[in-house]
Amino acid sequence: MNNTDNQGFNTQLVHAGDYEDMYGSVIVPIYQASTFKFKNAQHGADCFAGRADGFIYTRIGNPTIDALENKLAQLEHGYRGIAFASGMAAVSTVYMALLGQGKHIVSTDAVYGPSRGILERDFSRFGVEYSFVNTAHLEEIEKAIRPQTVLLYIETPTNPTIEITDIAAVAQIAHKHNILVCVDNTFCSPYTQKPLDLGADIVLHSITKFINGHADIVGGAVIAKDPDVYKKLRQTMIYLGGNMDPHQAYLTSRGVKTLALRMDKSQESAMKIAQFLEQHPKIEWVKYPGLPSHPQHELAKKQMSGFGTMMSFEVKGGIQAGATLMDSVKLCTLAVSLGGVETLIQHPASMTHAGLSAEARHEAGITDGLVRFSVGIEECEDIITDLKQALDKV
Ligand code: LCS
């Protein structure tokens, strides 16, 4: 397997984790196989017992998936990674592996809707307890911690409120109480934020977003820093069965190679678009980590190496004005998801976060008029021209 630990990020994106197959294929091929032949009975028993290397069954492991997992682990500076069928399979596996009857989790209140909903609706039925707090305010975390707290789960920046949590400070608080920290790094990707380097124990991704980047697969990943935590997560994944498929892994391995090139282009545009929106008379407010008006702009500069491509804003006139904008754009696409090559616009209160109660949404800062915007790699001038003509119609 290639180890690119001392090489640059673009080199890692292209080569990390890859290995040669028997024909010298330049890319890792799709091993579309559910099961793998043992050399003999002893080899089969040794593979199951972990005494021999070798693939057994694709839910447990597969060469195409393994290569992607190794690449992601190197990119995130972790011990090992696990790829999943979706980001939510990754989230639910982390919860299933680490929580239990009477255990307690402290989580960011404005996490992606289903990451919160599955605790409230499903894990609660098994006696799991939770507190949702604004993790950008460290004193709220301290107050929420109980003797039963085993996991601190943060999303930064948050979807869609673009709030930023200080990962290093949270890790310090958690480790004082022997609590593990999991960071959903979906909004940044390992290119602009490395949670494990900042003290987190587990990093999680919806790779549907920036990592794959081409709106053609749904997938997830977790990367652990510690071998024991990794083993626990892997064992739960194997029984729960949320594994990635080899074809998904192949497409993700292709998509991730251009992560930095895509993000560089999109981030440059995002900054200009945020500035354009901020000075537009029909815009009430814009939240983008790169703007000095963002309340945590200094923290963003400290813990992120780029400000990302995600922003939220509100059009004057609230929800109705926002709907007119979304119905009037021509180049920007009205769709959920984010982090791809195409610019997407959506309305969280009625779409991605509709599953939360109105009260939970408001507490988390998801106003009814909030519009979420994911900047793609189209030419910046074209995106701004489109927004201008759509805002004229509001
Ligand atoms: N974490 C974050 C921060 C997300 O934004 C999402 C999906 C997930 C986890 C779950 O990943 P999935 O299972 O969808 O791969 N976010 C979505 C969104 O904002 N629009 O559509 C999906």
Side-chain angles (χ1 to χ4, degrees), residues 84-91 110-115 153 155-160 184-187 204-209 217-221 310 335-338 344 346 348 351-353 372:
F84 291 88
S86 67
M88 281 315 299
V91 173
V111 276
Y112 175 57
S115 303
Y153 186 94
E155 194 178 292
T156 179
T158 44
N159 178 3
D184 185 332
N185 200 25
T186 299
F187 263 44
L204 182 145
H205 286 281
S206 164
I207 64 174
T208 315
K209 313 296 182 323
I217 64 118
V218 167
M310 297 300 302
V336 297
S337 202
L338 56 107
L344 301 181
Q346 71 110 359
M351 297 172 186
T352 44
H353 293 68
R372 191 184 74 185

Side-chain angles (χ1 to χ4, degrees), residues 68-69 72 76 82-88 90 184-186 190 204-223 244 248-249 251-253 255-256 259 262 337-340:
L68 174 66
E69 291 173 337
L72 296 178
E76 285 284 11
I82 308 170
F84 291 88
S86 67
M88 281 315 299
D184 185 332
N185 200 25
T186 299
L204 182 145
H205 286 281
S206 164
I207 64 174
T208 315
K209 313 296 182 323
F210 293 101
I211 289 182
N212 180 59
H214 293 77
D216 51 10
I217 64 118
V218 167
V222 297
I223 298 100
M244 183 173 266
Q248 273 175 299
L251 283 174
T252 307
S253 291
V256 75
L259 171 68
R262 286 184 274 112
S337 202
L338 56 107

Side-chain angles (χ1 to χ4, degrees), residues 123-140:
F123 279 86
S124 60
R125 292 184 285 112
F126 303 98
V128 171
E129 297 181 7
Y130 43 78
S131 301
F132 296 103
V133 300
N134 184 338
T135 51
H137 300 152
L138 299 173
E139 66 288 353
E140 288 193 32

